[in-house]
Amino acid sequence: KTSEVSAVMAKADIKPKSIHHAKKWSDDVENLYRFQQAGYRDEIEYKQVKQVDMVECWPETGFVKKLQRRDNTFYYYDKQRECEDKEVHKVKVYVY
């Protein structure tokens, strides 16, 4: 029964209106980088797919601490910035 419910929710999910690439690093770009490394667009898609209300973040920096990939393995991230300047332009920023 739960798979039917999640299938309906997946169909009703919010789709981004547009997309652009990040130009310079920011806290938001850092977190998007982490979600995209784990295979998600952003926090919205992650919450829809994983059915969670909260994403675990570092209290000191507010950066995402750990994410569960679609294959259920976990990604763990540092408190410090991980998205290097040369990676920033690869980060996709979605507009809803």
Side-chain angles (χ1 to χ4, degrees), residues 2-44:
T2 53
S3 64
E4 284 176 43
V5 173
S6 58
V8 169
M9 283 188 74
K11 285 194 183 92
D13 67 355
I14 312 153
K15 291 275 187 271
K17 290 186 183 70
S18 68
I19 176 181
H20 61 274
H21 287 266
K23 302 266 186 289
K24 65 183 203 297
W25 186 89
S26 71
D27 290 1
D28 291 339
V29 169
E30 177 66 39
N31 279 335
L32 283 170
Y33 173 77
R34 294 172 186 217
F35 282 110
Q36 288 167 23
Q37 264 197 325
Y40 302 93
R41 273 195 313 257
D42 51 25
E43 187 173 347
I44 294 167

Side-chain angles (χ1 to χ4, degrees), residues 72-86:
N72 292 332
T73 56
F74 282 92
Y75 272 180
Y76 295 91
Y77 299 100
D78 281 336
K79 287 186 188 105
Q80 283 81 35
R81 171 180 175 175
E82 290 195 11
C83 180
E84 295 175 36
D85 283 332
K86 68 179 195 300

